[in-house]
Amino acid sequence: MSGLHPPDLDYFGDLALLSPISTKPTLKRFIRGKDGFDATEDFKLGLEAKINEFFADKGWELLPEWRNSAMWENLEYAVALVDESVNRDIGKFVYDSIVGLLVAFTIETPSGFKIRYYDKIGIRIDKRGNGYMSDLIKEARKIDFELDQEREPERQYPMPAGLRTSETEN
């Protein structure tokens, strides 16, 4: 049997190349000021399209003023759940690959109290029910703690956070 092997191996030569592609989406961070990231108009348009897609089954759509509101000055980060199989060009990010999203802002009240505000969070309808919303929130809390510790190294916990939603179950 020496020299006999499945025909696929003639072309690949390496068993590592035959491992199955992971179908679980990965988390990507877009933190303002990190790695040169800033919320450009293209980024806002891309997020707006994805948010509208995620809420279309409920008949909801973002108001146009969301993209142009003053709150973008307080954007901290976005966390995207990304299906890597959609990215045909290795290393190139495409908005079509986003299957889940959380957008976080920081708000300070007139009295000086600060809170992270998860303004939009959504999962594509075919990915719901897999715990991905929890994954997004857990990642957001990690980012919150990292950002807060950078600003206040003695901080033992992240600042409070709240989710803006009209869905009572969330």
PDB file of all heavy atoms in Angstrom, residues 55 58 60 117-121 163-170:
ATOM      1  N   PHE A  55     -32.523  44.273  12.109  1.00  0.00           N
ATOM      2  CA  PHE A  55     -33.829  44.591  12.665  1.00  0.00           C
ATOM      3  C   PHE A  55     -34.957  44.599  11.623  1.00  0.00           C
ATOM      4  O   PHE A  55     -36.087  44.905  11.949  1.00  0.00           O
ATOM      5  CB  PHE A  55     -33.779  45.925  13.403  1.00  0.00           C
ATOM      6  CG  PHE A  55     -32.927  45.877  14.638  1.00  0.00           C
ATOM      7  CD1 PHE A  55     -31.706  46.527  14.691  1.00  0.00           C
ATOM      8  CD2 PHE A  55     -33.330  45.155  15.745  1.00  0.00           C
ATOM      9  CE1 PHE A  55     -30.904  46.463  15.823  1.00  0.00           C
ATOM     10  CE2 PHE A  55     -32.540  45.082  16.885  1.00  0.00           C
ATOM     11  CZ  PHE A  55     -31.324  45.740  16.923  1.00  0.00           C
ATOM     12  N   LYS A  58     -38.261  42.780  12.202  1.00  0.00           N
ATOM     13  CA  LYS A  58     -39.179  43.407  13.155  1.00  0.00           C
ATOM     14  C   LYS A  58     -39.841  44.651  12.560  1.00  0.00           C
ATOM     15  O   LYS A  58     -40.640  45.306  13.206  1.00  0.00           O
ATOM     16  CB  LYS A  58     -38.428  43.797  14.428  1.00  0.00           C
ATOM     17  CG  LYS A  58     -37.878  42.585  15.147  1.00  0.00           C
ATOM     18  CD  LYS A  58     -37.048  42.983  16.321  1.00  0.00           C
ATOM     19  CE  LYS A  58     -36.521  41.707  16.950  1.00  0.00           C
ATOM     20  NZ  LYS A  58     -35.451  41.880  17.837  1.00  0.00           N
ATOM     21  N   TRP A  60     -38.168  47.369  11.792  1.00  0.00           N
ATOM     22  CA  TRP A  60     -37.495  48.553  12.336  1.00  0.00           C
ATOM     23  C   TRP A  60     -36.378  48.996  11.408  1.00  0.00           C
ATOM     24  O   TRP A  60     -35.743  48.186  10.732  1.00  0.00           O
ATOM     25  CB  TRP A  60     -36.886  48.259  13.705  1.00  0.00           C
ATOM     26  CG  TRP A  60     -37.871  47.880  14.755  1.00  0.00           C
ATOM     27  CD1 TRP A  60     -39.226  48.008  14.723  1.00  0.00           C
ATOM     28  CD2 TRP A  60     -37.558  47.291  16.009  1.00  0.00           C
ATOM     29  NE1 TRP A  60     -39.775  47.538  15.891  1.00  0.00           N
ATOM     30  CE2 TRP A  60     -38.782  47.090  16.699  1.00  0.00           C
ATOM     31  CE3 TRP A  60     -36.382  46.915  16.630  1.00  0.00           C
ATOM     32  CZ2 TRP A  60     -38.843  46.544  17.963  1.00  0.00           C
ATOM     33  CZ3 TRP A  60     -36.443  46.361  17.896  1.00  0.00           C
ATOM     34  CH2 TRP A  60     -37.668  46.177  18.553  1.00  0.00           C
ATOM     35  N   TYR A 117     -22.781  52.992  27.235  1.00  0.00           N
ATOM     36  CA  TYR A 117     -24.116  52.935  26.674  1.00  0.00           C
ATOM     37  C   TYR A 117     -24.036  52.054  25.435  1.00  0.00           C
ATOM     38  O   TYR A 117     -23.429  52.438  24.449  1.00  0.00           O
ATOM     39  CB  TYR A 117     -24.498  54.375  26.354  1.00  0.00           C
ATOM     40  CG  TYR A 117     -25.768  54.621  25.615  1.00  0.00           C
ATOM     41  CD1 TYR A 117     -26.998  54.235  26.125  1.00  0.00           C
ATOM     42  CD2 TYR A 117     -25.753  55.311  24.404  1.00  0.00           C
ATOM     43  CE1 TYR A 117     -28.167  54.511  25.455  1.00  0.00           C
ATOM     44  CE2 TYR A 117     -26.917  55.593  23.728  1.00  0.00           C
ATOM     45  CZ  TYR A 117     -28.112  55.193  24.254  1.00  0.00           C
ATOM     46  OH  TYR A 117     -29.268  55.471  23.597  1.00  0.00           O
ATOM     47  N   TYR A 118     -24.569  50.833  25.522  1.00  0.00           N
ATOM     48  CA  TYR A 118     -24.607  49.937  24.371  1.00  0.00           C
ATOM     49  C   TYR A 118     -25.846  50.319  23.566  1.00  0.00           C
ATOM     50  O   TYR A 118     -26.950  49.893  23.861  1.00  0.00           O
ATOM     51  CB  TYR A 118     -24.663  48.473  24.802  1.00  0.00           C
ATOM     52  CG  TYR A 118     -23.522  48.036  25.697  1.00  0.00           C
ATOM     53  CD1 TYR A 118     -23.664  46.968  26.556  1.00  0.00           C
ATOM     54  CD2 TYR A 118     -22.289  48.680  25.676  1.00  0.00           C
ATOM     55  CE1 TYR A 118     -22.618  46.547  27.372  1.00  0.00           C
ATOM     56  CE2 TYR A 118     -21.240  48.278  26.486  1.00  0.00           C
ATOM     57  CZ  TYR A 118     -21.416  47.209  27.331  1.00  0.00           C
ATOM     58  OH  TYR A 118     -20.380  46.799  28.135  1.00  0.00           O
ATOM     59  N   ASP A 119     -25.634  51.143  22.558  1.00  0.00           N
ATOM     60  CA  ASP A 119     -26.749  51.738  21.831  1.00  0.00           C
ATOM     61  C   ASP A 119     -27.410  50.757  20.883  1.00  0.00           C
ATOM     62  O   ASP A 119     -28.625  50.685  20.819  1.00  0.00           O
ATOM     63  CB  ASP A 119     -26.269  52.954  21.053  1.00  0.00           C
ATOM     64  CG  ASP A 119     -27.403  53.664  20.337  1.00  0.00           C
ATOM     65  OD1 ASP A 119     -28.430  53.932  20.975  1.00  0.00           O
ATOM     66  OD2 ASP A 119     -27.271  53.918  19.132  1.00  0.00           O
ATOM     67  N   LYS A 120     -26.645  50.038  20.129  1.00  0.00           N
ATOM     68  CA  LYS A 120     -27.211  49.097  19.174  1.00  0.00           C
ATOM     69  C   LYS A 120     -26.520  47.756  19.364  1.00  0.00           C
ATOM     70  O   LYS A 120     -25.298  47.669  19.405  1.00  0.00           O
ATOM     71  CB  LYS A 120     -26.996  49.562  17.727  1.00  0.00           C
ATOM     72  CG  LYS A 120     -27.667  50.889  17.408  1.00  0.00           C
ATOM     73  CD  LYS A 120     -29.175  50.773  17.410  1.00  0.00           C
ATOM     74  CE  LYS A 120     -29.850  52.071  17.124  1.00  0.00           C
ATOM     75  NZ  LYS A 120     -30.366  52.751  18.270  1.00  0.00           N
ATOM     76  N   ILE A 121     -27.323  46.713  19.452  1.00  0.00           N
ATOM     77  CA  ILE A 121     -26.797  45.364  19.503  1.00  0.00           C
ATOM     78  C   ILE A 121     -27.769  44.493  18.727  1.00  0.00           C
ATOM     79  O   ILE A 121     -28.974  44.589  18.905  1.00  0.00           O
ATOM     80  CB  ILE A 121     -26.591  44.866  20.954  1.00  0.00           C
ATOM     81  CG1 ILE A 121     -25.983  43.476  20.970  1.00  0.00           C
ATOM     82  CG2 ILE A 121     -27.849  44.936  21.760  1.00  0.00           C
ATOM     83  CD1 ILE A 121     -25.510  43.030  22.351  1.00  0.00           C
ATOM     84  N   LEU A 163     -27.784  48.732  28.369  1.00  0.00           N
ATOM     85  CA  LEU A 163     -28.192  48.407  27.014  1.00  0.00           C
ATOM     86  C   LEU A 163     -29.479  49.155  26.691  1.00  0.00           C
ATOM     87  O   LEU A 163     -30.471  49.037  27.417  1.00  0.00           O
ATOM     88  CB  LEU A 163     -28.432  46.894  26.887  1.00  0.00           C
ATOM     89  CG  LEU A 163     -29.086  46.398  25.604  1.00  0.00           C
ATOM     90  CD1 LEU A 163     -28.194  46.698  24.400  1.00  0.00           C
ATOM     91  CD2 LEU A 163     -29.362  44.902  25.702  1.00  0.00           C
ATOM     92  N   ARG A 164     -29.436  49.915  25.619  1.00  0.00           N
ATOM     93  CA  ARG A 164     -30.636  50.615  25.167  1.00  0.00           C
ATOM     94  C   ARG A 164     -31.404  49.652  24.267  1.00  0.00           C
ATOM     95  O   ARG A 164     -30.903  49.246  23.224  1.00  0.00           O
ATOM     96  CB  ARG A 164     -30.248  51.863  24.393  1.00  0.00           C
ATOM     97  CG  ARG A 164     -31.448  52.600  23.833  1.00  0.00           C
ATOM     98  CD  ARG A 164     -30.974  53.821  23.048  1.00  0.00           C
ATOM     99  NE  ARG A 164     -32.079  54.504  22.469  1.00  0.00           N
ATOM    100  CZ  ARG A 164     -32.434  54.401  21.184  1.00  0.00           C
ATOM    101  NH1 ARG A 164     -31.759  53.661  20.371  1.00  0.00           N
ATOM    102  NH2 ARG A 164     -33.465  55.073  20.724  1.00  0.00           N
ATOM    103  N   THR A 165     -32.580  49.269  24.699  1.00  0.00           N
ATOM    104  CA  THR A 165     -33.374  48.341  23.906  1.00  0.00           C
ATOM    105  C   THR A 165     -34.855  48.532  24.195  1.00  0.00           C
ATOM    106  O   THR A 165     -35.234  48.963  25.278  1.00  0.00           O
ATOM    107  CB  THR A 165     -32.965  46.873  24.189  1.00  0.00           C
ATOM    108  OG1 THR A 165     -33.760  46.006  23.374  1.00  0.00           O
ATOM    109  CG2 THR A 165     -33.158  46.495  25.641  1.00  0.00           C
ATOM    110  N   SER A 166     -35.668  48.209  23.213  1.00  0.00           N
ATOM    111  CA  SER A 166     -37.111  48.231  23.419  1.00  0.00           C
ATOM    112  C   SER A 166     -37.637  46.806  23.582  1.00  0.00           C
ATOM    113  O   SER A 166     -38.837  46.606  23.731  1.00  0.00           O
ATOM    114  CB  SER A 166     -37.805  48.923  22.250  1.00  0.00           C
ATOM    115  OG  SER A 166     -37.443  48.290  21.054  1.00  0.00           O
ATOM    116  N   GLU A 167     -36.731  45.829  23.568  1.00  0.00           N
ATOM    117  CA  GLU A 167     -37.135  44.432  23.737  1.00  0.00           C
ATOM    118  C   GLU A 167     -37.080  44.081  25.227  1.00  0.00           C
ATOM    119  O   GLU A 167     -36.011  44.034  25.821  1.00  0.00           O
ATOM    120  CB  GLU A 167     -36.213  43.518  22.941  1.00  0.00           C
ATOM    121  CG  GLU A 167     -36.308  43.762  21.449  1.00  0.00           C
ATOM    122  CD  GLU A 167     -35.384  42.881  20.658  1.00  0.00           C
ATOM    123  OE1 GLU A 167     -34.486  42.224  21.257  1.00  0.00           O
ATOM    124  OE2 GLU A 167     -35.541  42.829  19.444  1.00  0.00           O
ATOM    125  N   THR A 168     -38.237  43.836  25.812  1.00  0.00           N
ATOM    126  CA  THR A 168     -38.310  43.614  27.254  1.00  0.00           C
ATOM    127  C   THR A 168     -37.513  42.404  27.710  1.00  0.00           C
ATOM    128  O   THR A 168     -36.990  42.386  28.817  1.00  0.00           O
ATOM    129  CB  THR A 168     -39.774  43.471  27.712  1.00  0.00           C
ATOM    130  OG1 THR A 168     -40.391  42.421  26.965  1.00  0.00           O
ATOM    131  CG2 THR A 168     -40.542  44.765  27.505  1.00  0.00           C
ATOM    132  N   GLU A 169     -37.363  41.381  26.861  1.00  0.00           N
ATOM    133  CA  GLU A 169     -36.600  40.197  27.273  1.00  0.00           C
ATOM    134  C   GLU A 169     -35.103  40.467  27.364  1.00  0.00           C
ATOM    135  O   GLU A 169     -34.371  39.693  27.968  1.00  0.00           O
ATOM    136  CB  GLU A 169     -36.874  38.998  26.332  1.00  0.00           C
ATOM    137  CG  GLU A 169     -36.337  39.150  24.918  1.00  0.00           C
ATOM    138  CD  GLU A 169     -37.306  39.848  23.960  1.00  0.00           C
ATOM    139  OE1 GLU A 169     -38.310  40.427  24.392  1.00  0.00           O
ATOM    140  OE2 GLU A 169     -37.038  39.816  22.754  1.00  0.00           O
ATOM    141  N   ASN A 170     -34.651  41.550  26.801  1.00  0.00           N
ATOM    142  CA  ASN A 170     -33.231  41.904  26.873  1.00  0.00           C
ATOM    143  C   ASN A 170     -32.975  42.990  27.893  1.00  0.00           C
ATOM    144  O   ASN A 170     -31.886  43.421  28.075  1.00  0.00           O
ATOM    145  CB  ASN A 170     -32.720  42.340  25.491  1.00  0.00           C
ATOM    146  CG  ASN A 170     -32.689  41.170  24.533  1.00  0.00           C
ATOM    147  OD1 ASN A 170     -32.416  40.049  24.935  1.00  0.00           O
ATOM    148  ND2 ASN A 170     -32.963  41.429  23.277  1.00  0.00           N
TER     149      ASN A 170
END
